[in-house]
Amino acid sequence: GHVHTPHMERIEEPGGEYIALSAGTLSLRLRASPPGFNVVDVDERGMTVVPFIYDHDSFAAQPALQMDWSGATPDPA
């Protein structure tokens, strides 16, 4: 399945790990979260995700989520 809300999480499994990243949807159908999308920046230090949420007439940036490659969980920027 999938979700339609901004979310970032590091998932660790016995054989490795991965990043679960989801954004809102651009659909205007009624949902728990307004329409949105993510801007993702990845470099050698980690990843920054800025969710953008539709606010009636434009998209507004929300607080960034940051994850470094050292194993820390995502923290608001």
Side-chain angles (χ1 to χ4, degrees):
H2 63 277
V3 296
H4 291 280
T5 57
H7 174 81
M8 182 169 65
E9 177 180 5
R10 181 187 299 255
I11 308 292
E12 296 184 35
E13 298 287 338
E17 61 184 331
Y18 63 93
I19 305 298
L21 176 65
S22 63
T25 177
L26 293 178
S27 170
L28 293 175
R29 294 185 343 213
L30 293 177
R31 300 196 185 273
S33 293
F37 63 92
N38 291 333
V39 173
V40 180
D41 181 33
V42 179
D43 64 23
E44 68 279 352
R45 295 180 312 259
M47 178 168 60
T48 301
V49 178
V50 179
F52 282 78
I53 301 297
Y54 187 68
D55 188 17
H56 303 292
D57 61 356
S58 65
F59 287 92
Q62 304 300 298
L65 300 171
Q66 294 182 325
M67 184 174 290
D68 67 36
W69 301 139
S70 70
T73 56
D75 293 320

